[in-house]
Amino acid sequence: MLTAAQVDKLTPAEKDWFPQSHPIPPPVVLVPGKDQAPPCAECHTVNGQGMVGIPDIAGLPVNYLLEQLAAFRSGARISALPHYLGTGLMITTARAWSPTDLKAAAAYYASLPRRTPTRVVETEAAPSMRLERWGWTYRDPAGGATHPLDGSVAEAPESVNRLFMGDLSNRQLVYVSHATLTLGAALIRSGGGGGQPCTACHGADLRGTAVAPPLAGRDPGYLARQLWDIRSSARSGGNVKLMQGPARGLTTHDITAVAGYLASLTP
């Protein structure tokens, strides 16, 4: 039996309970690098499904992954939230690993099949939540009163313990109301204030095209944060400029609805 403190010190390689479920990863994915640079699986997991607020990157094209890593390294991709820890860590990590290592990581994750990291729960009230320092939430272990969603979206891991133990079957629960899903579906088709439907670039099934990544089944917290980063120009470079007009045409409420709806789709 391991204590929470012992689990927290385990590397992704030591928490890889299901090695038969994925190809053999390169060292950059599982083993800390020079000066203890975090391996990719520390956050994105060894099968690429990510976790609450952290994107699943399995199956993304190699060139797209390398473009994003280059943007982190160059400063073209930062966060609209100056103190957001996740983006800062990603910038530091991308700069710590060599280009050869980053290419190996991109090739590995691109070779993996996409999974369904989220499970949407359609409801009008979400369980009581607690905020974790990295910016994501988890269900309050003490219980507590539910809170009305009122157009918002709430998310939490199925199990915090399984999350930190590296259980790859542990998914994110996404709590969203029927009205939010309905609004999100309409905005996907119309494009909202920007007037450009999401399907124009991301494909009719929203599973990606040669110029845009897949959106279906993605973590809503991550999607919402990227829309904010793009509309504020904190995220720039590459094809991101094509997204700035559509993102600026969405209100805060629209962004939440779009992110919640996209999370409900099958990858």
Side-chain angles (χ1 to χ4, degrees):
M1 179 70 71
L2 297 176
T3 66
Q6 289 172 322
V7 169
D8 193 46
K9 293 179 180 179
L10 294 177
T11 67
E14 293 168 328
K15 290 192 290 188
D16 188 12
W17 312 127
F18 310 102
Q20 73 284 353
S21 69
H22 56 78
I24 298 175
V28 61
V29 170
L30 282 182
V31 184
K34 183 180 178 182
D35 297 325
Q36 292 299 299
C40 305
E42 187 77 43
C43 298
H44 295 285
T45 70
V46 70
N47 68 354
Q49 76 178 25
M51 58 184 76
V52 175
I54 298 172
D56 59 302
I57 58 176
L60 288 174
V62 171
N63 288 342
Y64 177 80
L65 289 170
L66 291 176
E67 179 183 280
Q68 300 313 306
L69 289 166
F72 281 122
R73 286 170 65 96
S74 70
R77 182 171 175 177
I78 57 176
S79 175
L81 301 172
H83 304 297
Y84 182 71
L85 296 175
T87 300
L89 178 61
M90 191 64 227
I91 292 170
T92 301
T93 301
R95 290 173 176 171
W97 290 98
S98 72
T100 300
D101 289 322
L102 296 179
K103 288 179 182 177
Y108 170 76
Y109 281 113
S111 73
L112 301 178
R114 278 205 73 195
R115 303 169 188 268
T116 305
T118 58
R119 179 165 69 86
V120 171
V121 179
E122 194 171 327
T123 180
E124 298 306 313
S128 177
M129 300 280 189
R130 286 191 179 182
L131 182 65
E132 201 270 347
R133 71 186 184 93
W134 287 93
W136 50 267
T137 55
Y138 61 93
R139 288 176 293 177
D140 189 344
T146 60
H147 61 89
L149 287 170
D150 293 331
S152 64
V153 175
E155 58 178 324
E158 284 182 326
S159 166
V160 173
N161 290 338
R162 286 164 54 203
L163 169 71
F164 287 112
M165 287 293 289
D167 185 348
L168 300 181
S169 66
N170 192 48
R171 294 191 295 174
Q172 287 93 263
L173 298 175
V174 177
Y175 300 91
V176 59
S177 70
H178 176 73
T180 298
L181 291 176
T182 300
L183 174 60
L187 289 166
I188 291 291
R189 294 190 298 269
S190 70
Q196 183 173 325
C198 302
T199 51
C201 294
H202 294 275
D205 57 4
L206 298 167
R207 293 178 181 171
T209 64
V211 298
L215 300 178
R218 293 209 173 277
D219 176 84
Y222 172 77
L223 286 173
R225 195 168 66 249
Q226 296 317 301
L227 285 168
W228 275 109
D229 287 350
I230 290 168
R231 67 181 289 182
S232 70
S233 297
R235 182 174 171 181
S236 60
N239 287 331
V240 170
K241 60 181 178 293
L242 301 176
M243 268 297 303
Q244 288 177 338
R248 288 169 182 160
L250 298 174
T251 66
T252 301
H253 189 53
D254 291 343
I255 287 175
T256 301
V258 165
Y261 174 74
L262 289 171
S264 74
L265 301 179
T266 303

